[in-house]
Amino acid sequence: MKKKKKINKKLIVIDVLILVIIAVIGVQGYRIYNRYQELNQTKVTAENIKREIGAFENEEWKPDQETYKNLKAENDDYIGWLLWDSGIISEPIVQGESNDSYIRSDFYGNYDEFGTVFMDSLANIRDDNIPIYGHAMTGVYTDTRKFSQLQNMTKQEFYEANKTFSIYRADQVTHYEVISAFLIDVNSDNWNYTQNVFTNDTDKQNWINQALSRSEINTGLTADTDDRFVTLQTCRDGYSGWRYIVIGRQTGIESLY
């Protein structure tokens, strides 16, 4: 009888462990399913936008005045389109009332875990430095959407193949070249890389010196106080203060007329 009781107790313990394992697997499976659904929603949104503007099945597509007009009609927060010359990033840019407006919202205002690429709410498109933010879709979700590919920009070989990008607006396109790429811990480093206006040339040159000295890639490029910049930011992961920063220097402006 004692042996049977011991065996029964062991069986109960085993059954409990099995139930715990099944529960853990179920919870993890549910989380994975939810993440898949979130990713799929992000894909659907991106496809809808590109289908609307005629870019869905055209690899040679570039934004034009009609693009701006159509997307502005859809969302008045739309300010332009960010397009990497190599094609690694192609995203609409919005600007909300605050920097929380599009962190978890898609272009149409629906909930989206991966948000929308957005310009700093306190910045102006004509500022000396334009801070722009976007999520990185990491792990099994890594692809060319949002700012995922910025995580590779600190690699010299990747930089060499992806040096230039442009921002397309209503009547013009502004071209940029990458001059710096690096990781920064915003929890311990107080350098204001998102500074968008400068008090004087000395202030601006100090910012430029910081940007160049922190670069983890060798661009061979310099900059001075006559230059204008775009600072792009994405996260290394969702649970730390580490951010990938890519800074581009303006190289020219073309009319879209």
Side-chain angles (χ1 to χ4, degrees), residues 218-257:
N218 180 17
T219 68
L221 299 173
T222 58
D224 58 41
T225 56
D226 290 329
D227 289 316
R228 293 177 179 272
F229 306 91
V230 163
T231 296
L232 309 173
Q233 171 187 296
T234 197
C235 51
R236 186 180 70 176
D237 56 60
Y239 308 98
S240 75
W242 287 99
R243 301 290 183 267
Y244 282 95
I245 308 301
V246 175
I247 298 176
R249 180 185 67 180
Q250 183 176 310
T251 58
I253 298 176
E254 288 183 63
S255 173
L256 289 178
Y257 287 111

Side-chain angles (χ1 to χ4, degrees), residues 4-257:
K4 285 185 177 180
K5 286 182 178 179
K6 287 183 179 179
I7 292 172
N8 287 337
K9 286 182 179 179
K10 288 181 179 179
L11 289 175
I12 291 171
V13 171
I14 291 171
D15 287 342
V16 171
L17 288 173
I18 290 173
L19 289 173
V20 169
I21 292 170
I22 290 173
V24 170
I25 292 173
V27 170
Q28 290 300 320
Y30 179 73
R31 287 177 178 174
I32 291 172
Y33 172 77
N34 277 347
R35 293 292 281 180
Y36 173 79
Q37 291 295 96
E38 290 164 355
L39 175 64
N40 188 59
Q41 179 60 43
T42 299
K43 288 181 177 179
V44 169
T45 300
E47 290 173 0
N48 285 343
I49 292 172
K50 292 184 179 181
R51 186 177 289 109
E52 285 180 13
I53 59 180
F56 187 60
E57 297 179 349
N58 183 0
E59 293 182 359
E60 302 300 321
W61 172 86
K62 289 184 179 180
D64 55 22
Q65 287 179 292
E66 198 66 21
T67 303
Y68 187 91
K69 177 182 176 182
N70 291 341
L71 292 181
K72 193 71 172 175
E74 291 280 350
N75 182 354
D76 193 50
D77 288 342
Y78 174 73
I79 61 170
W81 194 281
L82 175 65
L83 179 63
W84 227 266
D85 291 349
S86 62
I88 60 167
I89 295 175
S90 179
E91 294 287 339
I93 310 168
V94 294
Q95 184 181 35
E97 292 183 0
S98 78
N99 284 346
D100 293 329
S101 299
Y102 286 95
I103 287 182
R104 295 289 182 262
S105 295
D106 69 12
F107 184 82
Y108 303 103
N110 304 310
Y111 177 81
D112 185 341
E113 177 68 15
F114 299 105
T116 306
V117 172
F118 65 94
M119 186 174 80
D120 194 292
S121 62
L122 299 179
N124 185 288
I125 197 69
R126 293 177 177 81
D127 286 344
D128 281 352
N129 179 43
I130 306 169
I132 298 176
Y133 312 93
H135 284 294
M137 300 164 77
T138 56
V140 296
Y141 306 104
T142 299
D143 58 18
T144 58
R145 275 175 289 276
K146 310 304 177 186
F147 275 3
S148 301
Q149 294 299 325
L150 292 186
Q151 295 186 334
N152 295 314
M153 194 59 69
T154 55
K155 303 171 185 174
Q156 189 69 30
E157 185 177 354
F158 188 86
Y159 155 75
E160 296 291 348
N162 303 281
K163 295 181 178 182
T164 57
F165 61 93
S166 302
I167 294 178
Y168 291 77
R169 302 192 66 236
D171 56 357
Q172 65 183 34
V173 52
T174 307
H175 303 292
Y176 298 88
E177 60 183 355
V178 175
I179 63 167
S180 180
F182 54 91
L183 262 173
I184 187 171
D185 185 355
V186 297
N187 291 331
S188 60
D189 194 323
N190 61 6
W191 179 51
N192 186 14
Y193 55 87
T194 63
Q195 183 175 354
N196 58 308
V197 293
F198 303 93
T199 55
N200 51 48
D201 284 352
T202 300
D203 184 30
K204 186 173 180 179
Q205 190 61 57
N206 288 338
W207 184 91
I208 292 170
N209 294 342
Q210 282 282 342
L212 294 174
S213 65
R214 290 168 179 262
S215 183
E216 297 176 32
I217 52 174
N218 180 17
T219 68
L221 299 173
T222 58
D224 58 41
T225 56
D226 290 329
D227 289 316
R228 293 177 179 272
F229 306 91
V230 163
T231 296
L232 309 173
Q233 171 187 296
T234 197
C235 51
R236 186 180 70 176
D237 56 60
Y239 308 98
S240 75
W242 287 99
R243 301 290 183 267
Y244 282 95
I245 308 301
V246 175
I247 298 176
R249 180 185 67 180
Q250 183 176 310
T251 58
I253 298 176
E254 288 183 63
S255 173
L256 289 178
Y257 287 111

